[in-house]
Amino acid sequence: QVRLVESGGGLVQAGGSLRLSCAVSGRTYSNYAMAWFRQAPGKEREFVAGIGWIATSTNYPDSVKGRFTISRDSVKNTMFLQMNSLKPEDTAIYYCAAGGLRLGTRPNEYGYWGQGTQVTVSS
């Protein structure tokens, strides 16, 4: 069983930074991609960043490219999302996801999810 535990969310002023962590336990395979999604109230879950677990390929939407960086420590089974230059529109619950057979951008492409961590950016 794969379990994901997220941490690092909080309240930050616009222009500030946060680093989210996702600790992974249970067996994972090298073909499993991982990703960060976010969901604001009343909106659909949105792809934020994706990364191959063994491979180092990454994917970002234009909304965060240049500001967010996804990374992982394969030995410690931990994934990170470094968020810089945060904007109020980044406010959302952030979820880590795993189990992607491809580095996809849709929530239904991932089978495992964390509980979510709240990120609030004040103006």
Side-chain angles (χ1 to χ4, degrees):
Q1 180 68 257
V2 176
R3 297 179 181 180
L4 310 178
V5 180
E6 302 163 350
S7 62
L11 175 65
V12 65
Q13 293 185 1
S17 298
L18 285 173
R19 191 189 194 196
L20 306 183
S21 299
C22 176
V24 183
S25 62
R27 187 170 67 177
T28 59
Y29 290 89
S30 61
N31 64 329
Y32 281 4
M34 299 186 69
W36 289 95
F37 289 78
R38 66 187 181 188
Q39 188 166 20
K43 297 184 178 180
E44 296 182 352
R45 195 164 296 186
E46 175 190 20
F47 175 79
V48 175
I51 188 170
W53 184 245
I54 300 300
T56 58
S57 59
T58 59
N59 188 20
Y60 305 92
D62 290 341
S63 59
V64 307
K65 190 174 182 63
R67 300 188 298 120
F68 291 9
T69 303
I70 188 171
S71 62
R72 84 286 185 274
D73 185 331
S74 297
V75 175
K76 296 183 178 181
N77 291 331
T78 304
M79 182 177 64
F80 304 96
L81 183 67
Q82 179 67 45
M83 304 185 294
N84 298 326
S85 301
L86 283 163
K87 305 175 181 179
E89 52 262 43
D90 295 319
T91 296
I93 300 175
Y94 283 70
Y95 300 89
C96 64
L101 298 179
R102 302 178 183 273
L103 191 55
T105 61
R106 296 174 295 184
N108 61 10
E109 297 182 73
Y110 298 86
Y112 303 97
W113 294 86
Q115 80 286 351
T117 184
Q118 178 70 49
V119 172
T120 302
V121 184
S122 62
S123 60

